[in-house]
Amino acid sequence: VAHLSANGSTLEASTYLGGSSDEEIGGIAVDATGQAVITGGSYSYDFPMVNAYQAECRGGYWGESPAADVFVTGYTADGSSLRYSTCLGGSTHDSSTDVAVDASGIIYLTGVTESPDFPVVQPQQHLLNHTNYPEF
């Protein structure tokens, strides 16, 4: 993750984000206070967690297929530390493809899940249809 100056001539902050396995970046957004939010999919059991909703990522393999959990990580405006970092997922493959942050700081994610037990709250669709792997 890198933060460049407005004209691109200065590297303001730069760091690694991930655990001991693979991560896929799906998107990045910046909130009204300049704090970056990054999302994607993590295959790492040891993805860094701070103020986490889900205590760990359950990446690895599901049968013969690689499985990831969605991750969402928020940095301070200067990029020096994590404000929060969590995973979100079920028993199989989950990945986030984009992120948006509204004026109130509420985070919105889009992505794909193959997990019938993906955590849901007030779902509009109650059962996962494994024939088309719906987006969340």
Side-chain angles (χ1 to χ4, degrees), residues 28-118:
I28 187 168
V30 179
D31 70 14
T33 65
Q35 299 179 102
V37 179
I38 297 100
T39 191
S42 174
Y43 294 87
S44 300
Y45 289 104
D46 57 351
F47 192 85
M49 297 289 171
V50 174
N51 300 319
Y53 165 78
Q54 187 171 301
E56 64 183 5
C57 287
R58 295 175 288 232
Y61 283 84
W62 177 65
E64 296 298 315
S65 301
D69 275 352
V70 169
F71 75 83
V72 59
T73 300
Y75 282 93
T76 57
D78 66 2
S80 65
S81 61
L82 298 178
R83 294 177 20 231
Y84 56 85
S85 185
T86 190
C87 282
L88 176 66
S91 58
T92 61
H93 184 77
D94 313 298
S95 186
S96 178
T97 56
D98 205 0
V99 61
V101 182
D102 72 11
S104 300
I106 297 172
I107 301 163
Y108 299 89
L109 305 173
T110 61
V112 177
T113 183
E114 295 177 12
S115 297
D117 57 348
F118 188 86

